[in-house]
C-alpha cells in the first residue's frame, strides 16, 4: 500500500489530502478529507501514518498521526510556528520533524502517544528534506545557507543537543 498527498480534483480545490492506494492499482482512498494535509510517513510496523497539516492562517502546520485506515487522527504538535516533515524512529515510539520554533529550521521530536516536544538539534541553518537512516543511527538533511549541502548528524548527537 502506498500513501501520498495530492491536491483535490476540483478545479479550484487547493487543499492537499493524504491518500492511500494499493501498490497493485485501484482507486485511491482519501484519508484526510477537509484538512490541508501533506508529507505522509508510514510507521515502521505499517499500522499508522504521520503527516503534517496546515493550521490556521498563513503557512503554519503541525504534526498529526492517524491509523492506516484514516481513523483515530490525533494532533501531536501545537505551536505558533511551522512543524513539517515527520519521520518515524525505527522503534515507532517517536517522530522527528522539522520545526521553526527557534527562528530557523531545527529538528524536533515528539512521542507518538503525545506529550512534550523536544528540540533535539538547534542549528543556525535552514533544514530541509530530512531523512532518518533505516537503522535510526543517522539523520540526514540538506541545509542553507551552506548552498544546500548534505549534512549528517548522528542520532546520539541529536539527543544530546536537546538536553
Amino acid at each position: 500500500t502506498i500513501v501520498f498527498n495530492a491536491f483535490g480534483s476540483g478545479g479550484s480545490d487547493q487543499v492537499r489530502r493524504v491518500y492511500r492506494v494499493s501498490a497493485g492499482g485501484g482507486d485511491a482512498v482519501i484519508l484526510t478529507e477537509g484538512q490541508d494535509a501533506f508529507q505522509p510517513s508510514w510507521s515502521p510496523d505499517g499500522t499508522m501514518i504521520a503527516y503534517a497539516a496546515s493550521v490556521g492562517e498563513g503557512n503554519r502546520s503541525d504534526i498529526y498521526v492517524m491509523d492506516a485506515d484514516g481513523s483515530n487522527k490525533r494532533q501531536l504538535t501545537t505551536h505558533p510556528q511551522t512543524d513539517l516533515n515527520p519521520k518515524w524512529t525505527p522503534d515507532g515510539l517517536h517522530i522527528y520533524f522539522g520545526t521553526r520554533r527557534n527562528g530557523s529550521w531545527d529538528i524536533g521530536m515528539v512521542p507518538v502517544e503525545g506529550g512534550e516536544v523536544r528540540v533535539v538539534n538547534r542549528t543556525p541553518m535552514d533544514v530541509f528534506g530530512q531523512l532518518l537512516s533505516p537503522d535510526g543511527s543517522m539523520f540526514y538533511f540538506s541545509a542553507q545557507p551552506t548552498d544546500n549541502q548534505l549534512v549528517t548528524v548522528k542520532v546520539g548527537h541529536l539527543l544530546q543537543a536537546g538536553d
Side-chain angles (χ1 to χ4, degrees), residues 7-161:
F7 285 102
S9 58
S12 63
D13 189 353
Q14 293 300 308
V15 176
R16 293 165 288 190
R17 294 181 177 93
V18 173
Y19 295 81
R20 183 186 72 230
V21 67
S22 169
D27 292 332
V29 176
I30 298 172
L31 301 178
T32 58
E33 186 67 55
Q35 188 177 34
D36 185 26
F38 48 97
Q39 300 173 330
S41 176
W42 281 110
S43 64
D45 66 3
T47 63
M48 298 178 73
I49 300 166
Y51 61 99
S54 296
V55 181
E57 297 295 318
N59 293 325
R60 196 175 85 67
S61 59
D62 285 319
I63 303 299
Y64 293 75
V65 293
M66 64 181 157
D67 292 344
D69 65 0
S71 65
N72 195 27
K73 291 176 181 69
R74 293 178 288 120
Q75 186 173 356
L76 297 182
T77 67
T78 52
H79 194 270
Q81 297 297 321
T82 298
D83 295 334
L84 293 171
N85 245 348
K87 304 294 183 223
W88 293 82
T89 57
D91 62 11
L93 298 177
H94 294 86
I95 295 173
Y96 288 118
F97 59 94
T99 182
R100 292 227 19 125
R101 290 164 192 261
N102 298 305
S104 68
W105 283 106
D106 297 331
I107 299 169
M109 184 174 72
V110 64
V112 173
E113 295 304 318
E116 182 181 352
V117 171
R118 289 181 51 204
V119 173
V120 294
N121 186 284
R122 287 186 169 88
T123 174
M125 301 177 284
D126 280 347
V127 174
F128 299 98
Q130 64 264 29
L131 298 169
L132 186 64
S133 66
D135 67 359
S137 67
M138 296 291 289
F139 205 81
Y140 303 87
F141 57 90
S142 58
Q144 292 178 336
T146 58
D147 299 323
N148 287 323
Q149 291 177 326
L150 180 64
V151 178
T152 61
V153 177
K154 289 187 178 180
V155 169
H157 291 129
L158 283 180
L159 300 177
Q160 291 169 7

